[in-house]
Amino acid sequence: SEFSTQRLHALNRESGVSTPLTPEGDRYRFADGVHDAQRSRLVMVREDHEKPDPVDVVNEIASVSTLDGGMSTLATGRDFYAAPRLSPDGKQLAY
C-alpha cells in the first residue's frame, strides 16, 4: 500500500501509471499479501479502522481484485492474522 493514503495501487508496467484499487480514506490498512493469479486478486492481511479506537480495529484476511478493486473478507473473528499463502495449486489458503 501507499503509506500516505493506505491505498493499494495497480502499476501499468508499460506506461508506469499507477491506478488506485482500494477506496479513498483511511479506513483500511493492508499488509503481507500474496498474488492469486488464477483469480486476479491479492490476498492480504487487512485492518479495518472504521472505529478509530485501537480496541475496535478488526483484523481480517481479505482479497482485493486486481481488475476492479472489489474486496471480499476471507477470514475474520480473530485478534491476529499473518502471512496468507496459497497452496501451489491455488485451492487452499494458509494463514
Side-chain angles (χ1 to χ4, degrees):
S1 62
E2 200 279 309
F3 182 75
S4 67
T5 65
Q6 296 299 319
R7 296 178 80 183
L8 296 177
H9 292 254
L11 179 64
N12 182 308
R13 291 182 186 183
E14 292 178 16
S15 69
V17 174
S18 172
T19 305
L21 286 175
T22 52
E24 288 187 59
D26 58 359
R27 176 176 174 175
Y28 298 114
R29 297 179 188 169
F30 300 91
D32 200 9
V34 62
H35 183 229
D36 181 358
Q38 282 183 316
R39 294 171 188 83
S40 300
R41 67 182 182 172
L42 300 170
V43 177
M44 307 189 76
V45 175
R46 178 177 71 187
E47 292 182 350
D48 185 342
H49 290 258
E50 181 178 28
K51 298 177 183 174
D53 190 330
V55 299
D56 294 324
V57 172
V58 176
N59 297 302
E60 304 169 313
I61 299 292
S63 68
V64 179
S65 168
T66 56
L67 303 175
D68 63 10
M71 291 189 279
S72 298
T73 302
L74 304 176
T76 190
R78 303 286 183 222
D79 289 334
F80 183 78
Y81 291 98
R85 297 296 180 260
L86 293 166
S87 62
D89 64 4
K91 293 182 179 180
Q92 295 182 344
L93 175 66
Y95 52 88

Coordinates of all heavy atoms in Angstrom, one line a residue:
S1 N 0.8 -1.2 0.0 CA 0.0 0.0 0.0 C 0.9 1.2 0.0 O 2.0 1.2 0.4 CB -0.9 0.0 1.2 OG -0.3 0.0 2.4
E2 N 0.3 2.3 -0.5 CA 1.0 3.6 -0.5 C 0.8 4.2 0.9 O -0.3 4.4 1.3 CB 0.4 4.5 -1.6 CG 1.3 5.6 -2.0 CD 1.2 6.8 -1.1 OE1 0.1 7.2 -0.8 OE2 2.3 7.2 -0.6
F3 N 1.9 4.5 1.6 CA 1.8 4.8 3.0 C 0.9 6.0 3.3 O 0.1 5.9 4.3 CB 3.2 5.0 3.6 CG 3.2 5.3 5.1 CD1 2.9 4.3 6.0 CD2 3.3 6.6 5.6 CE1 2.9 4.5 7.3 CE2 3.3 6.8 6.9 CZ 3.1 5.8 7.8
S4 N 1.1 7.1 2.6 CA 0.3 8.3 3.0 C -1.2 8.2 2.8 O -1.9 8.8 3.5 CB 0.9 9.5 2.2 OG 0.5 9.4 0.8
T5 N -1.6 7.3 1.9 CA -3.1 7.1 1.7 C -3.6 5.8 2.2 O -4.8 5.6 2.2 CB -3.4 7.3 0.2 OG1 -2.8 6.2 -0.5 CG2 -3.0 8.6 -0.3
Q6 N -2.7 4.8 2.4 CA -3.0 3.5 2.8 C -3.8 2.7 1.7 O -4.5 1.7 1.9 CB -3.8 3.4 4.1 CG -3.1 3.9 5.3 CD -1.8 3.1 5.6 OE1 -1.8 1.9 5.5 NE2 -0.8 3.7 5.9
R7 N -3.7 3.2 0.4 CA -4.4 2.6 -0.7 C -3.5 1.6 -1.4 O -2.3 1.8 -1.5 CB -4.9 3.7 -1.7 CG -6.0 4.6 -1.0 CD -6.4 5.6 -2.0 NE -7.4 5.1 -2.9 CZ -7.9 5.8 -3.9 NH1 -7.6 7.0 -4.1 NH2 -8.8 5.2 -4.7
L8 N -4.1 0.6 -2.0 CA -3.4 -0.3 -2.9 C -3.5 0.2 -4.3 O -4.6 0.8 -4.7 CB -4.0 -1.7 -2.8 CG -3.9 -2.4 -1.5 CD1 -4.6 -3.8 -1.6 CD2 -2.4 -2.6 -1.1
H9 N -2.5 0.1 -5.1 CA -2.4 0.6 -6.5 C -2.0 -0.5 -7.4 O -1.2 -1.4 -7.0 CB -1.4 1.8 -6.6 CG -1.8 3.0 -5.9 ND1 -2.3 4.1 -6.5 CD2 -1.8 3.3 -4.6 CE1 -2.6 5.0 -5.7 NE2 -2.3 4.6 -4.5
A10 N -2.5 -0.5 -8.6 CA -2.0 -1.3 -9.7 C -1.1 -0.5 -10.6 O -1.4 0.6 -11.0 CB -3.2 -1.8 -10.5
L11 N 0.1 -1.0 -10.9 CA 1.0 -0.3 -11.7 C 1.0 -0.9 -13.1 O 1.3 -2.1 -13.3 CB 2.4 -0.4 -11.1 CG 3.5 0.2 -11.9 CD1 3.3 1.8 -11.9 CD2 4.9 -0.1 -11.3
N12 N 0.8 -0.1 -14.1 CA 0.9 -0.5 -15.5 C 2.4 -0.5 -15.9 O 3.0 0.6 -15.9 CB 0.1 0.5 -16.4 CG 0.2 0.1 -17.9 OD1 1.3 -0.2 -18.4 ND2 -1.0 0.0 -18.5
R13 N 3.0 -1.6 -16.1 CA 4.4 -1.7 -16.4 C 4.8 -1.0 -17.6 O 6.0 -0.5 -17.7 CB 4.8 -3.2 -16.5 CG 4.7 -3.9 -15.2 CD 5.1 -5.3 -15.3 NE 4.9 -6.1 -14.1 CZ 5.3 -7.3 -13.9 NH1 5.9 -8.0 -14.8 NH2 5.0 -7.9 -12.7
E14 N 4.0 -0.9 -18.6 CA 4.4 -0.3 -19.9 C 4.4 1.2 -19.7 O 5.3 1.9 -20.1 CB 3.4 -0.7 -21.0 CG 3.6 -2.1 -21.4 CD 2.6 -2.6 -22.5 OE1 2.0 -1.7 -23.1 OE2 2.5 -3.8 -22.7
S15 N 3.3 1.8 -19.1 CA 3.2 3.2 -19.1 C 3.8 3.8 -17.8 O 4.1 5.0 -17.7 CB 1.7 3.7 -19.2 OG 1.0 3.3 -18.0
G16 N 3.9 3.0 -16.8 CA 4.4 3.5 -15.5 C 3.3 4.2 -14.7 O 3.6 4.7 -13.6
V17 N 2.0 4.1 -15.2 CA 0.9 4.8 -14.5 C 0.4 3.9 -13.4 O 0.1 2.7 -13.6 CB -0.2 5.2 -15.5 CG1 -1.4 5.7 -14.8 CG2 0.3 6.1 -16.5
S18 N 0.2 4.5 -12.2 CA -0.4 3.8 -11.0 C -1.8 4.2 -10.9 O -2.2 5.3 -10.9 CB 0.4 4.3 -9.8 OG -0.2 3.8 -8.6
T19 N -2.7 3.2 -10.8 CA -4.1 3.3 -10.6 C -4.6 2.8 -9.3 O -4.3 1.6 -9.0 CB -4.9 2.6 -11.7 OG1 -4.4 3.0 -13.0 CG2 -6.4 2.8 -11.7
P20 N -5.2 3.6 -8.5 CA -5.7 3.1 -7.1 C -6.7 2.0 -7.3 O -7.6 2.0 -8.2 CB -6.4 4.3 -6.5 CG -5.9 5.5 -7.3 CD -5.6 5.0 -8.7
L21 N -6.6 0.9 -6.5 CA -7.5 -0.2 -6.5 C -8.5 0.0 -5.3 O -9.7 -0.4 -5.5 CB -6.8 -1.5 -6.3 CG -6.0 -2.0 -7.5 CD1 -5.3 -3.3 -7.1 CD2 -7.0 -2.3 -8.7
T22 N -8.1 0.4 -4.2 CA -8.9 0.5 -3.0 C -9.5 1.9 -2.8 O -8.9 2.9 -3.3 CB -8.1 0.0 -1.8 OG1 -6.9 0.7 -1.7 CG2 -7.8 -1.5 -1.9
P23 N -10.6 2.0 -2.0 CA -11.2 3.3 -1.8 C -10.4 4.3 -1.1 O -9.5 4.0 -0.3 CB -12.5 3.0 -1.0 CG -12.3 1.6 -0.5 CD -11.2 0.9 -1.3
E24 N -10.7 5.6 -1.3 CA -10.1 6.7 -0.6 C -10.5 6.6 0.9 O -11.5 6.0 1.2 CB -10.6 8.0 -1.2 CG -10.0 8.3 -2.5 CD -10.3 9.7 -2.9 OE1 -10.0 10.7 -2.2 OE2 -10.9 9.9 -4.0
G25 N -9.7 7.2 1.7 CA -9.9 7.3 3.1 C -9.0 6.4 3.9 O -8.2 5.6 3.3
D26 N -9.0 6.5 5.2 CA -8.0 5.7 6.0 C -8.7 4.6 6.8 O -8.1 4.1 7.8 CB -7.3 6.7 6.9 CG -8.2 7.4 7.9 OD1 -9.4 7.2 7.8 OD2 -7.7 8.2 8.7
R27 N -9.8 4.1 6.3 CA -10.5 3.0 7.0 C -9.7 1.7 6.9 O -9.6 1.0 7.9 CB -11.9 2.8 6.3 CG -12.6 1.6 7.0 CD -14.0 1.4 6.4 NE -14.5 0.2 7.0 CZ -15.8 -0.2 6.8 NH1 -16.6 0.5 6.0 NH2 -16.2 -1.3 7.3
Y28 N -9.1 1.4 5.8 CA -8.4 0.1 5.6 C -6.9 0.3 5.5 O -6.4 1.2 4.9 CB -8.9 -0.6 4.3 CG -10.3 -1.0 4.3 CD1 -11.2 -0.4 3.4 CD2 -10.8 -1.9 5.2 CE1 -12.5 -0.7 3.4 CE2 -12.2 -2.2 5.2 CZ -13.0 -1.6 4.3 OH -14.3 -1.9 4.3
R29 N -6.2 -0.7 6.1 CA -4.7 -0.8 6.0 C -4.4 -2.2 5.6 O -5.0 -3.1 6.1 CB -4.1 -0.4 7.3 CG -4.3 1.0 7.7 CD -3.7 1.4 9.0 NE -4.2 2.7 9.5 CZ -3.9 3.2 10.7 NH1 -3.2 2.5 11.5 NH2 -4.4 4.4 11.0
F30 N -3.4 -2.3 4.7 CA -3.1 -3.6 4.1 C -1.7 -4.0 4.4 O -0.8 -3.1 4.4 CB -3.3 -3.6 2.6 CG -4.8 -3.3 2.3 CD1 -5.2 -2.0 2.0 CD2 -5.7 -4.3 2.1 CE1 -6.5 -1.7 1.7 CE2 -7.0 -4.1 1.8 CZ -7.4 -2.7 1.6
A31 N -1.4 -5.3 4.5 CA 0.0 -5.8 4.7 C 0.1 -7.2 4.3 O -0.9 -7.9 4.1 CB 0.4 -5.7 6.2
D32 N 1.3 -7.7 4.0 CA 1.7 -9.1 3.9 C 0.8 -9.8 2.9 O 0.1 -10.7 3.2 CB 1.7 -9.7 5.2 CG 2.5 -11.0 5.2 OD1 3.2 -11.3 4.2 OD2 2.4 -11.8 6.2
G33 N 0.8 -9.4 1.6 CA 0.0 -10.0 0.6 C 0.6 -11.0 -0.3 O 1.9 -11.1 -0.4
V34 N -0.2 -11.8 -1.0 CA 0.2 -12.7 -2.0 C -0.7 -12.6 -3.2 O -1.9 -12.3 -3.1 CB 0.2 -14.2 -1.4 CG1 -1.2 -14.6 -1.1 CG2 0.8 -15.2 -2.4
H35 N -0.1 -12.7 -4.4 CA -0.9 -12.6 -5.6 C -1.5 -13.9 -6.0 O -0.8 -14.9 -6.1 CB 0.1 -12.1 -6.8 CG -0.7 -11.8 -8.0 ND1 -0.2 -12.3 -9.2 CD2 -1.8 -11.2 -8.3 CE1 -1.1 -12.0 -10.2 NE2 -2.0 -11.3 -9.7
D36 N -2.8 -13.9 -6.2 CA -3.5 -15.1 -6.7 C -3.9 -14.9 -8.2 O -4.9 -14.3 -8.5 CB -4.8 -15.3 -5.8 CG -5.6 -16.5 -6.2 OD1 -5.2 -17.2 -7.2 OD2 -6.6 -16.7 -5.5
A37 N -2.9 -15.3 -9.0 CA -3.1 -15.0 -10.5 C -4.3 -15.7 -11.1 O -5.0 -15.2 -11.9 CB -1.8 -15.4 -11.2
Q38 N -4.6 -16.9 -10.5 CA -5.8 -17.7 -11.1 C -7.1 -16.9 -10.9 O -8.0 -17.0 -11.7 CB -6.0 -19.0 -10.3 CG -5.0 -20.1 -10.7 CD -5.3 -21.4 -10.0 OE1 -5.5 -21.4 -8.8 NE2 -5.3 -22.5 -10.7
R39 N -7.2 -16.1 -9.8 CA -8.4 -15.4 -9.5 C -8.3 -13.9 -9.7 O -9.2 -13.1 -9.3 CB -8.9 -15.8 -8.1 CG -9.3 -17.2 -8.0 CD -9.5 -17.6 -6.5 NE -9.7 -19.0 -6.4 CZ -8.7 -19.9 -6.3 NH1 -7.5 -19.6 -6.4 NH2 -9.0 -21.2 -6.2
S40 N -7.2 -13.4 -10.2 CA -6.9 -12.0 -10.5 C -7.2 -11.2 -9.2 O -8.0 -10.2 -9.2 CB -7.8 -11.4 -11.6 OG -7.6 -12.1 -12.8
R41 N -6.5 -11.6 -8.1 CA -6.7 -10.9 -6.9 C -5.4 -10.9 -6.0 O -4.5 -11.7 -6.3 CB -7.8 -11.5 -6.1 CG -7.5 -12.9 -5.6 CD -8.7 -13.5 -4.9 NE -8.4 -14.9 -4.4 CZ -9.1 -15.6 -3.6 NH1 -10.3 -15.1 -3.2 NH2 -8.7 -16.8 -3.2
L42 N -5.4 -10.1 -5.0 CA -4.4 -10.1 -4.0 C -5.1 -10.6 -2.7 O -6.2 -10.3 -2.5 CB -3.8 -8.7 -3.7 CG -3.2 -8.0 -4.9 CD1 -2.9 -6.5 -4.5 CD2 -1.9 -8.7 -5.3
V43 N -4.4 -11.5 -2.0 CA -4.9 -11.9 -0.7 C -4.0 -11.3 0.4 O -2.7 -11.5 0.3 CB -4.9 -13.5 -0.6 CG1 -5.4 -13.9 0.8 CG2 -5.8 -14.1 -1.7
M44 N -4.6 -10.6 1.3 CA -3.8 -9.8 2.2 C -4.3 -9.8 3.6 O -5.5 -10.0 3.8 CB -3.7 -8.3 1.7 CG -3.2 -8.2 0.3 SD -2.9 -6.5 -0.2 CE -1.3 -6.3 0.6
V45 N -3.5 -9.4 4.6 CA -4.0 -9.0 5.9 C -4.6 -7.6 5.8 O -3.9 -6.7 5.2 CB -2.8 -9.0 6.9 CG1 -3.4 -8.6 8.3 CG2 -2.3 -10.4 7.0
R46 N -5.8 -7.4 6.3 CA -6.4 -6.1 6.2 C -6.9 -5.7 7.6 O -7.4 -6.5 8.3 CB -7.7 -6.2 5.3 CG -8.4 -4.9 5.3 CD -9.6 -4.9 4.3 NE -10.7 -5.8 4.8 CZ -11.7 -6.1 4.1 NH1 -11.9 -5.7 2.9 NH2 -12.7 -6.9 4.7
E47 N -6.5 -4.5 8.0 CA -7.1 -3.9 9.2 C -8.2 -3.0 8.9 O -8.0 -2.1 8.0 CB -6.0 -3.1 10.0 CG -4.9 -4.0 10.5 CD -3.9 -3.1 11.3 OE1 -3.9 -1.9 11.2 OE2 -3.0 -3.7 11.9
D48 N -9.3 -3.1 9.5 CA -10.5 -2.2 9.3 C -10.5 -1.3 10.5 O -10.8 -1.6 11.6 CB -11.7 -3.1 9.2 CG -13.0 -2.2 8.9 OD1 -12.9 -1.0 9.1 OD2 -14.0 -2.8 8.5
H49 N -10.3 0.0 10.2 CA -10.3 1.1 11.2 C -11.5 1.9 11.1 O -11.5 3.1 11.3 CB -9.0 2.0 11.0 CG -7.7 1.3 11.3 ND1 -7.1 1.5 12.5 CD2 -7.0 0.3 10.6 CE1 -6.0 0.8 12.5 NE2 -5.9 0.0 11.4
E50 N -12.7 1.3 10.8 CA -13.9 2.0 10.8 C -14.2 2.8 12.1 O -14.6 3.9 12.1 CB -15.1 1.1 10.5 CG -16.4 1.8 10.4 CD -17.6 0.9 10.0 OE1 -17.5 -0.3 10.3 OE2 -18.5 1.4 9.4
K51 N -13.9 2.1 13.2 CA -13.9 2.7 14.5 C -12.5 3.0 14.9 O -11.7 2.0 15.0 CB -14.6 1.8 15.5 CG -16.1 1.5 15.1 CD -16.7 0.5 16.1 CE -18.1 0.2 15.7 NZ -18.7 -0.8 16.6
P52 N -12.1 4.2 15.1 CA -10.7 4.6 15.3 C -10.0 4.1 16.6 O -8.8 4.1 16.7 CB -10.7 6.1 15.2 CG -12.1 6.5 15.5 CD -13.0 5.4 15.1
D53 N -10.8 3.8 17.6 CA -10.2 3.3 18.9 C -9.5 2.0 18.6 O -10.1 1.1 18.1 CB -11.3 3.1 19.9 CG -10.7 2.9 21.3 OD1 -9.6 2.3 21.4 OD2 -11.4 3.2 22.3
P54 N -8.2 1.9 19.0 CA -7.4 0.7 18.7 C -8.1 -0.6 19.2 O -7.9 -1.7 18.5 CB -6.1 0.9 19.4 CG -6.0 2.4 19.5 CD -7.4 2.9 19.6
V55 N -8.9 -0.6 20.2 CA -9.5 -1.8 20.7 C -10.6 -2.3 19.7 O -11.1 -3.4 19.8 CB -10.1 -1.7 22.1 CG1 -9.0 -1.4 23.1 CG2 -11.2 -0.7 22.2
D56 N -11.1 -1.4 18.9 CA -12.1 -1.7 17.9 C -11.7 -2.1 16.5 O -12.5 -2.4 15.7 CB -13.1 -0.5 17.8 CG -13.8 -0.3 19.1 OD1 -14.2 -1.2 19.8 OD2 -14.1 0.9 19.4
V57 N -10.3 -2.0 16.3 CA -9.8 -2.4 15.0 C -10.1 -3.9 14.7 O -9.9 -4.7 15.6 CB -8.3 -2.1 14.9 CG1 -7.7 -2.6 13.6 CG2 -8.1 -0.6 15.0
V58 N -10.6 -4.2 13.5 CA -10.9 -5.5 13.1 C -9.8 -6.0 12.1 O -9.5 -5.4 11.1 CB -12.3 -5.6 12.4 CG1 -12.5 -7.0 11.9 CG2 -13.4 -5.1 13.3
N59 N -9.2 -7.2 12.5 CA -8.2 -7.8 11.6 C -8.8 -8.9 10.8 O -9.6 -9.7 11.4 CB -7.0 -8.3 12.5 CG -6.3 -7.2 13.3 OD1 -5.8 -6.3 12.7 ND2 -6.3 -7.3 14.6
E60 N -8.4 -9.0 9.6 CA -9.0 -10.0 8.7 C -8.0 -10.4 7.6 O -7.0 -9.8 7.4 CB -10.2 -9.3 7.9 CG -11.2 -8.7 8.8 CD -12.2 -7.9 8.1 OE1 -11.8 -7.0 7.3 OE2 -13.4 -8.1 8.4
I61 N -8.3 -11.5 6.9 CA -7.7 -11.9 5.7 C -8.7 -11.5 4.6 O -9.9 -11.9 4.7 CB -7.4 -13.4 5.6 CG1 -6.4 -13.8 6.7 CG2 -6.8 -13.7 4.2 CD1 -5.0 -13.3 6.6
A62 N -8.3 -10.7 3.7 CA -9.2 -10.2 2.6 C -8.6 -10.4 1.3 O -7.4 -10.4 1.1 CB -9.5 -8.7 2.9
S63 N -9.4 -10.4 0.3 CA -9.0 -10.4 -1.1 C -9.3 -9.1 -1.8 O -10.4 -8.5 -1.4 CB -9.5 -11.6 -1.9 OG -10.9 -11.4 -2.1
V64 N -8.5 -8.6 -2.7 CA -8.7 -7.4 -3.4 C -8.5 -7.7 -4.9 O -7.5 -8.2 -5.3 CB -7.7 -6.3 -3.0 CG1 -8.0 -5.0 -3.8 CG2 -7.8 -6.0 -1.5
S65 N -9.6 -7.5 -5.7 CA -9.5 -7.8 -7.1 C -8.5 -6.9 -7.8 O -8.5 -5.7 -7.6 CB -10.9 -7.6 -7.8 OG -10.8 -7.6 -9.2
T66 N -7.6 -7.5 -8.6 CA -6.7 -6.6 -9.4 C -7.3 -6.0 -10.6 O -6.7 -5.2 -11.3 CB -5.4 -7.5 -9.8 OG1 -5.8 -8.6 -10.5 CG2 -4.6 -7.9 -8.5
L67 N -8.6 -6.4 -10.9 CA -9.3 -5.9 -12.0 C -10.1 -4.7 -11.7 O -10.1 -3.7 -12.5 CB -10.2 -7.0 -12.6 CG -9.5 -8.3 -13.0 CD1 -10.6 -9.3 -13.4 CD2 -8.5 -8.0 -14.1
D68 N -10.8 -4.7 -10.5 CA -11.7 -3.6 -10.2 C -11.6 -3.1 -8.8 O -12.3 -2.2 -8.4 CB -13.1 -3.9 -10.6 CG -13.7 -5.1 -9.7 OD1 -13.0 -5.5 -8.8 OD2 -14.8 -5.6 -10.1
G69 N -10.7 -3.7 -8.0 CA -10.6 -3.3 -6.6 C -11.6 -3.8 -5.6 O -11.6 -3.5 -4.4
G70 N -12.5 -4.6 -6.1 CA -13.5 -5.2 -5.2 C -12.9 -6.0 -4.1 O -11.9 -6.7 -4.3
M71 N -13.5 -5.9 -2.9 CA -12.9 -6.6 -1.8 C -13.8 -7.6 -1.2 O -15.1 -7.4 -1.2 CB -12.5 -5.6 -0.7 CG -11.4 -4.7 -1.0 SD -10.8 -3.7 0.4 CE -12.0 -2.4 0.3
S72 N -13.3 -8.7 -0.7 CA -14.0 -9.8 0.0 C -13.3 -10.2 1.2 O -12.1 -10.2 1.2 CB -14.2 -11.0 -0.9 OG -14.9 -10.7 -2.1
T73 N -14.0 -10.4 2.3 CA -13.4 -10.9 3.5 C -13.4 -12.4 3.4 O -14.3 -13.1 3.2 CB -14.3 -10.5 4.7 OG1 -14.4 -9.1 4.8 CG2 -13.7 -11.0 6.0
L74 N -12.2 -13.0 3.7 CA -11.9 -14.4 3.6 C -11.9 -15.1 5.0 O -12.3 -16.2 5.2 CB -10.7 -14.8 2.8 CG -10.6 -14.2 1.4 CD1 -9.2 -14.5 0.8 CD2 -11.7 -14.7 0.6
A75 N -11.4 -14.3 6.0 CA -11.3 -14.8 7.4 C -11.4 -13.6 8.3 O -10.8 -12.6 8.0 CB -10.1 -15.6 7.6
T76 N -12.2 -13.7 9.3 CA -12.3 -12.7 10.3 C -12.7 -13.3 11.7 O -13.0 -14.5 11.7 CB -13.4 -11.6 9.9 OG1 -13.3 -10.5 10.7 CG2 -14.8 -12.2 9.8
G77 N -12.7 -12.5 12.7 CA -13.1 -13.0 14.0 C -12.0 -13.3 15.0 O -12.2 -13.6 16.2
R78 N -10.7 -13.2 14.6 CA -9.6 -13.4 15.5 C -8.9 -12.1 15.7 O -9.0 -11.1 14.9 CB -8.6 -14.4 14.9 CG -9.3 -15.8 14.7 CD -9.5 -16.5 15.9 NE -10.1 -17.8 15.7 CZ -11.1 -18.4 16.3 NH1 -11.6 -17.7 17.3 NH2 -11.5 -19.6 16.1
D79 N -8.0 -12.0 16.7 CA -7.3 -10.8 17.0 C -6.1 -10.6 16.1 O -5.6 -9.5 15.9 CB -6.8 -10.8 18.5 CG -7.9 -10.6 19.4 OD1 -8.9 -10.0 19.1 OD2 -7.8 -11.1 20.6
F80 N -5.6 -11.7 15.5 CA -4.3 -11.6 14.8 C -4.3 -12.5 13.6 O -4.7 -13.7 13.7 CB -3.1 -11.9 15.7 CG -1.8 -11.8 15.0 CD1 -1.2 -10.5 14.9 CD2 -1.1 -12.9 14.5 CE1 0.0 -10.4 14.3 CE2 0.1 -12.7 13.9 CZ 0.7 -11.5 13.8
Y81 N -3.9 -12.0 12.4 CA -3.7 -12.7 11.2 C -2.4 -12.4 10.6 O -2.0 -11.2 10.7 CB -4.9 -12.5 10.2 CG -6.2 -13.0 10.6 CD1 -7.1 -12.2 11.2 CD2 -6.5 -14.3 10.4 CE1 -8.4 -12.6 11.6 CE2 -7.8 -14.8 10.7 CZ -8.7 -13.9 11.3 OH -9.9 -14.4 11.7
A82 N -1.7 -13.3 10.0 CA -0.4 -13.0 9.3 C -0.2 -14.0 8.2 O -0.7 -15.1 8.2 CB 0.7 -13.1 10.4
A83 N 0.7 -13.6 7.3 CA 1.3 -14.4 6.3 C 0.3 -15.3 5.5 O 0.5 -16.5 5.3 CB 2.4 -15.3 6.9
P84 N -0.7 -14.7 4.8 CA -1.5 -15.5 4.0 C -0.7 -16.1 2.8 O 0.0 -15.4 2.2 CB -2.6 -14.6 3.5 CG -2.0 -13.2 3.6 CD -1.1 -13.3 4.8
R85 N -0.9 -17.4 2.5 CA -0.2 -18.0 1.4 C -1.1 -19.1 0.8 O -1.8 -19.8 1.5 CB 1.1 -18.7 1.9 CG 2.1 -17.8 2.5 CD 2.7 -16.8 1.5 NE 3.7 -15.9 2.1 CZ 3.5 -14.7 2.5 NH1 2.2 -14.2 2.4 NH2 4.4 -13.9 3.0
L86 N -1.0 -19.2 -0.5 CA -1.7 -20.1 -1.3 C -1.0 -21.4 -1.5 O 0.3 -21.4 -1.7 CB -2.1 -19.5 -2.7 CG -3.0 -18.3 -2.6 CD1 -3.0 -17.6 -4.0 CD2 -4.4 -18.8 -2.3
S87 N -1.7 -22.5 -1.6 CA -1.0 -23.8 -1.9 C -0.6 -23.7 -3.4 O -1.1 -22.9 -4.2 CB -2.0 -24.9 -1.7 OG -3.1 -24.8 -2.6
P88 N 0.3 -24.5 -3.8 CA 0.8 -24.5 -5.2 C -0.3 -24.6 -6.3 O -0.2 -24.0 -7.3 CB 1.8 -25.7 -5.3 CG 2.3 -25.8 -3.9 CD 1.1 -25.5 -3.0
D89 N -1.4 -25.3 -6.0 CA -2.5 -25.4 -7.0 C -3.5 -24.3 -6.8 O -4.4 -24.2 -7.5 CB -3.1 -26.8 -6.9 CG -3.8 -27.1 -5.6 OD1 -3.9 -26.2 -4.7 OD2 -4.3 -28.2 -5.4
G90 N -3.3 -23.4 -5.8 CA -4.2 -22.3 -5.6 C -5.5 -22.7 -5.0 O -6.4 -21.8 -4.9
K91 N -5.7 -23.9 -4.5 CA -7.0 -24.3 -4.0 C -7.1 -24.1 -2.4 O -8.2 -24.2 -1.9 CB -7.3 -25.8 -4.3 CG -7.5 -26.0 -5.8 CD -7.7 -27.4 -6.1 CE -8.0 -27.6 -7.6 NZ -8.2 -29.0 -8.0
Q92 N -6.0 -24.0 -1.7 CA -6.1 -23.8 -0.3 C -5.3 -22.6 0.1 O -4.3 -22.2 -0.5 CB -5.5 -25.1 0.4 CG -6.3 -26.3 0.1 CD -5.8 -27.5 0.9 OE1 -4.6 -27.5 1.3 NE2 -6.6 -28.5 1.0
L93 N -5.8 -22.0 1.2 CA -5.1 -20.8 1.8 C -4.7 -21.1 3.2 O -5.5 -21.6 4.0 CB -6.1 -19.6 1.7 CG -5.7 -18.3 2.4 CD1 -4.5 -17.7 1.6 CD2 -6.9 -17.4 2.4
A94 N -3.5 -20.8 3.5 CA -3.0 -20.9 4.9 C -2.6 -19.5 5.4 O -2.2 -18.6 4.6 CB -1.7 -21.8 4.9
Y95 N -2.8 -19.3 6.7 CA -2.5 -18.0 7.3 C -2.2 -18.2 8.8 O -2.5 -19.2 9.4 CB -3.6 -17.0 7.1 CG -5.0 -17.5 7.5 CD1 -5.4 -17.3 8.8 CD2 -5.8 -18.1 6.6 CE1 -6.7 -17.7 9.2 CE2 -7.1 -18.5 6.9 CZ -7.5 -18.3 8.2 OH -8.8 -18.7 8.6

